[in-house]
Amino acid sequence: MKKIIILGINAISAKYAPRALRTAGYEPVFLADPEAFAGQAADSLRECACFPVDIEDRAAVLRLLAEDPSITQDAFAITGLYDEKFPLIAEIAADHGLHGPDPVAVRLASKGEVAELIPEFSPPTLRFTGGEAARLAVDPAACAPAPGGWVLKPAEQAGARGAARLRPGAGPTDVWNAVATTGLSRDAAHPWVLQADIRGPLFSLEGYVAGGRIVFIDFSQRGRIAWTEVSNLLPAERRLPRGAEERCKTAVVTLVERSGLSQGYFHCEFLLEDGRPFLIDANIGRLGGGATVEQLALSHGLDPAEILAHVLILGLPAVGAGPEPAYRPQGSGVSTLSYYYGIEAGGRITSVTAPEGGRCLHTQVAPHGGRVGPVGCGDDAWVGMLTGLTSDVAREIENVVVHTTDGPRRPAWVAPS
């Protein structure tokens, strides 16, 4: 079988991706360490060729591939499930003669590019580099007024890593101090965005483009504690205020048309302010993270591996589209819920106790012995995910216990609202 290299996968998808690709006729090779995962995800990866590397360290990834040519030898393509890694994946594909993601998806990995293409659907946005911030050349006053202040974030990053809030009236020094505090300031060319802070409910629109045809699958609504997403309800169309659904869809259609995207999944995130949606993350070329693939499977009566196979193959234009999953009409699926729980103060995880004989799917995200930050600091604070029918999850989450070196802890989560 032809090899497909995967750079960027989460714990949920790791459970199903090997079977998904093998069923589609490809042998997966992961740039990942199985020991960084737990349970079924770790077991699944151990059955594949895996090459441990810190994918956040671009130089380390490139060095690994240069020093071990067997990884790319006989490989057909390279892809992943983190759109912020598409620029790196595209670079690797070009260097090693592999097929990679759609160049449009690579370009749209930048939040700044998306905001420039569809400014009428985006928060007021200022694009800059770390070097410009260091020279105090970035003044929020140059952008539209932002009564609620600003959100600063790397232009190519997910999970709230490097994000910070700036007060209304912040100046160039505030911008540089925020950039410097993230620890990502060493690269002067690193792209950043400053966007007006929209504080409201967070909805996501899942779907895909095939042959220029846009398929909308479902909306979901997420709950958050500060910067950490901790729950997801799917489908959630009925929770959208009047007119918001059509505006969200129009934003996606406009982005697809202006960018020229011909195929690939999308996970477009919108924050609503006074009922008006603003696109804050396009996430072109991938499905939603967390437990989205399990929720879609449960809601639509599908196999998660079937969905992932479609996501991964559709994201490689050279491969083709592959068979489309039989999704139910938008919003008509069974109600599902997932809690992406953490612990309030963070800590080192020794184990997690999930309800015995429960009806829900449980995935431990943090490996045994792994340390997580306090919930609220970003998605790196996830300990585990409990996913199932909405009524079952709401009941079983009460019986989850996180065991740490400091003793047992109750999981921290909030329902979408």
Side-chain angles (χ1 to χ4, degrees):
M1 287 191 287
K2 293 180 179 179
K3 295 193 306 188
I4 291 183
I5 301 169
I6 305 296
L7 188 158
I9 192 164
N10 71 3
I12 298 286
S13 295
K15 297 193 297 183
Y16 307 106
R19 178 162 60 90
L21 285 171
R22 286 170 178 154
T23 301
Y26 299 94
E27 181 61 27
V29 174
F30 293 93
L31 301 185
D33 183 0
E35 304 312 312
F37 294 79
Q40 189 180 344
D43 293 341
S44 181
L45 291 177
R46 290 187 187 109
E47 296 175 356
C48 306
C50 289
F51 297 87
V53 66
D54 179 5
I55 65 171
E56 298 301 331
D57 186 339
R58 174 182 171 276
V61 173
L62 296 177
R63 186 168 57 250
L64 169 69
L65 297 175
E67 294 176 352
D68 190 347
S70 69
I71 301 174
T72 54
Q73 184 178 7
D74 299 325
F76 172 71
I78 180 169
T79 188
L81 293 169
Y82 297 162
D83 61 291
E84 69 269 24
K85 297 303 174 190
F86 284 174
L88 174 57
I89 290 171
E91 180 180 350
I92 294 169
D95 288 346
H96 296 274
L98 305 174
H99 294 293
D102 186 329
V104 174
V106 176
R107 181 162 59 94
L108 296 183
S110 168
K111 298 174 178 64
E113 289 286 336
V114 173
E116 187 169 279
L117 275 175
I118 53 168
E120 68 269 42
F121 297 103
S122 306
T125 302
L126 195 61
R127 304 170 63 182
F128 61 96
T129 65
E132 290 172 319
R135 295 195 303 271
L136 303 184
V138 184
D139 189 354
C143 199
W150 302 90
V151 173
L152 175 141
K153 49 191 174 183
E156 298 170 4
Q157 192 57 258
R161 184 169 181 258
R165 282 194 165 93
L166 300 183
R167 58 177 175 76
T173 301
D174 299 299
V175 173
W176 167 241
N177 287 341
V179 169
T181 301
T182 66
L184 301 174
S185 60
R186 288 186 295 274
D187 183 357
H190 196 87
W192 294 80
V193 293
L194 197 65
Q195 293 186 320
D197 192 357
I198 309 297
R199 302 204 183 191
L202 175 62
F203 285 85
S204 298
L205 176 53
E206 308 293 337
Y208 61 91
V209 182
R213 173 176 54 94
I214 301 175
V215 177
F216 296 112
I217 302 173
D218 272 326
F219 280 89
S220 64
Q221 184 182 10
R222 299 204 172 189
R224 297 190 296 177
I225 297 176
W227 292 114
T228 305
E229 295 178 355
V230 291
S231 58
N232 190 54
L233 177 72
L234 182 152
E237 276 79 354
R238 295 180 182 178
R239 292 188 166 210
L240 285 163
R242 184 180 180 88
E245 177 177 343
E246 285 309 310
R247 183 169 174 83
C248 290
K249 289 182 176 180
T250 301
V252 174
V253 170
T254 305
L255 181 61
V256 169
E257 290 176 346
R258 292 180 185 173
S259 67
L261 182 70
S262 62
Q263 67 182 68
Y265 269 70
F266 55 81
H267 163 70
C268 291
E269 297 185 350
F270 297 86
L271 280 173
L272 272 62
E273 184 174 70
D274 298 326
R276 178 186 176 186
F278 292 87
L279 180 64
I280 60 164
D281 272 315
N283 300 310
I284 299 297
R286 71 168 174 92
L287 191 68
T292 300
V293 68
E294 288 186 335
Q295 288 187 263
L296 285 174
L298 288 169
S299 184
H300 293 261
L302 299 170
D303 182 342
E306 176 189 5
I307 295 173
L308 269 185
H310 191 231
V311 173
L312 290 165
I313 300 305
L314 192 65
L316 292 167
V319 177
E324 298 187 4
Y327 292 112
R328 292 169 176 162
Q330 183 199 328
S332 67
V334 177
S335 179
T336 67
L337 178 64
S338 184
Y339 281 122
Y340 312 159
Y341 61 86
I343 48 178
E344 188 172 344
R348 191 172 297 281
I349 309 303
T350 57
S351 65
V352 177
T353 302
E356 290 188 12
R359 297 167 58 91
C360 298
L361 300 169
H362 181 262
T363 302
Q364 185 173 328
V365 174
H368 296 309
R371 177 173 290 279
V372 298
V375 69
C377 66
D379 292 349
D380 288 343
W382 288 342
V383 173
M385 299 183 182
L386 187 71
T387 307
L389 303 184
T390 297
S391 57
D392 293 333
V393 174
R395 180 181 65 255
E396 292 184 19
I397 187 65
E398 298 292 347
N399 296 315
V400 173
V401 179
V402 181
H403 301 278
T404 76
T405 52
D406 297 317
R409 297 288 182 267
R410 305 299 302 177
W413 52 270
V414 295
S417 61

